[in-house]
Amino acid sequence: MRGLHADTGYLLYRLGLRSGQFFNTFLQESGLRLRHYAVLRFLAGSEGALQRELSTRLGYDPSAIVGLVDDLEKLGFAERRPSPDDRRSRIVVLTEAGRAFLRDTDEAGQRVTNDLLGPLDPAERQTLHALLLRVADQP
């Protein structure tokens, strides 16, 4: 029988938990959680997104996206606007306050990543990142 540390899936799960704990601790004072941060980061790289697109791209349940966007709107970090392509739909866009929040947290977020990946040298970090991108981009 294999031990848990021989199971790559389990190690990825543990790393995900640890990463989530680190990021949630870092975000705690702002009142946000990692899921909010992920929505903000996604929106920062787009001109806006439909809530169903956020759900699909981030892998969150559609009902969770509604609550996350509601929270971000209350903080002034995101807003819903009419979609230019379909007036019945609304897109979620990052506000200037949301962009400022991300800029203000960049350095602290990098420290969290550095703490998480501390045992790896820079080349190993690049390799890990490239491999995770390949795996994450699977349909």
Side-chain angles (χ1 to χ4, degrees):
M1 186 162 109
R2 296 184 323 163
L4 280 177
H5 287 91
D7 186 325
T8 302
Y10 175 75
L11 291 174
L12 288 169
Y13 167 75
R14 287 284 308 263
L15 183 61
L17 283 178
R18 191 164 174 222
S19 175
Q21 290 168 343
F22 280 9
F23 270 94
N24 282 328
T25 298
F26 144 67
L27 292 166
Q28 193 170 20
E29 68 185 50
S30 68
L32 298 181
R33 304 211 21 96
L34 183 55
R35 290 175 150 228
H36 296 99
Y37 188 75
V39 172
L40 290 174
R41 280 283 167 209
F42 181 84
L43 292 174
S46 71
E47 295 294 318
L50 297 170
Q51 288 184 171
R52 69 178 160 265
E53 179 185 5
L54 290 170
S55 174
T56 301
R57 297 293 298 274
L58 297 173
Y60 297 160
D61 186 81
S63 62
I65 290 293
V66 171
L68 292 170
V69 173
D70 287 348
D71 294 343
L72 293 171
E73 273 193 315
K74 285 177 192 164
L75 291 167
F77 292 167
E79 63 184 23
R80 292 174 174 100
R81 294 181 184 164
S83 170
D85 301 326
D86 180 356
R87 288 183 297 166
R88 295 168 298 165
S89 296
R90 302 188 54 81
I91 59 170
V92 181
V93 297
L94 191 62
T95 64
E96 190 50 47
R99 289 185 197 291
F101 173 80
L102 289 175
R103 280 191 305 273
D104 292 346
T105 59
D106 278 344
E107 187 177 315
Q110 190 58 53
R111 278 196 311 271
V112 168
T113 299
N114 288 339
D115 288 348
L116 186 67
L117 300 179
L120 304 179
D121 66 40
E124 290 171 324
R125 289 177 189 206
Q126 284 184 327
T127 300
L128 175 62
H129 188 83
L131 292 171
L132 290 173
L133 276 175
R134 258 186 31 213
V135 173
D137 284 343
Q138 293 290 318

